[in-house]
Amino acid sequence: MSAQTIVIETLEIAPLEFESLSTPQTLGDVSSESVVAATVAEGALLRGLDKLTGERVDFELENGYSTFMGPLRVDMAQCRHPADNATGEAYAYLTIMGDRGEGDTLFQGWMIASSPALMALDHARYDVWVMRCKTSEAAQDAASTSEADGSD
């Protein structure tokens, strides 16, 4: 039997060099800015998907409450929507943990209903995203009436 010879070579790698711009370039001026007041809703309608079985489940969650979806614990801190459009955009602050709340935090932050991939749960089997905020019946009726009238 002969011994195996292992050769270790040292490679010379040049350090990265960064080129700076000789003259700063302006990206343009902000000509307008839009700020929309947000209203805190009672909770949110969330959708969960088991990617393995294809099972989809919709569930409502009140602000400050938790629920389980399989081994995940979903905590809802708050759902907000534009003050002038209760059925419009929804922003929900969620914390999602594994092992029924005993495991690592898998997601924590604001999920946006219209852009679920912008801030998404990164899990091999489950997806959770925000559908809309849960509002009182009076707010929903007022929103549908103003849409039917064409008023803003």
Side-chain angles (χ1 to χ4, degrees):
M1 284 195 221
S2 63
Q4 182 179 4
T5 306
I6 298 175
V7 178
I8 299 174
E9 295 181 33
T10 303
L11 301 175
E12 298 215 11
I13 299 173
L16 291 175
E17 294 181 20
F18 297 96
E19 181 180 331
S20 61
L21 298 173
S22 57
T23 59
Q25 297 178 347
T26 59
L27 299 176
D29 294 329
V30 176
S31 59
S32 67
E33 185 176 306
S34 176
V35 177
V36 178
T39 301
V40 177
E42 298 172 5
L45 175 67
L46 304 173
R47 178 166 287 166
L49 173 68
D50 182 335
K51 294 185 264 187
L52 185 64
T53 64
E55 182 182 358
R56 184 189 78 190
V57 60
D58 291 349
F59 54 96
E60 286 186 6
L61 195 56
E62 301 287 328
N63 291 340
Y65 287 88
S66 301
T67 191
F68 293 103
M69 186 183 132
L72 303 180
R73 186 177 102 186
V74 181
D75 298 345
M76 162 80 81
Q78 198 174 79
C79 190
R80 297 179 185 177
H81 61 82
D84 61 345
N85 185 2
T87 59
E89 186 63 271
Y91 309 91
Y93 193 88
L94 302 174
T95 302
I96 303 174
M97 293 174 277
D99 296 327
R100 299 190 65 81
E102 301 295 323
D104 293 335
T105 299
L106 305 172
F107 177 86
Q108 186 171 26
W110 289 98
M111 269 193 196
I112 304 170
S114 65
S115 303
L118 185 62
M119 288 288 291
L121 168 65
D122 184 21
H123 192 273
R125 182 170 178 176
Y126 297 99
D127 275 340
V128 175
W129 64 94
V130 180
M131 300 297 292
R132 62 180 168 80
C133 286
K134 179 182 171 190
T135 57
S136 66
E137 295 297 325
Q140 289 177 355
D141 291 342
S144 63
T145 302
S146 67
E147 288 174 6
D149 293 343
S151 61
D152 292 329

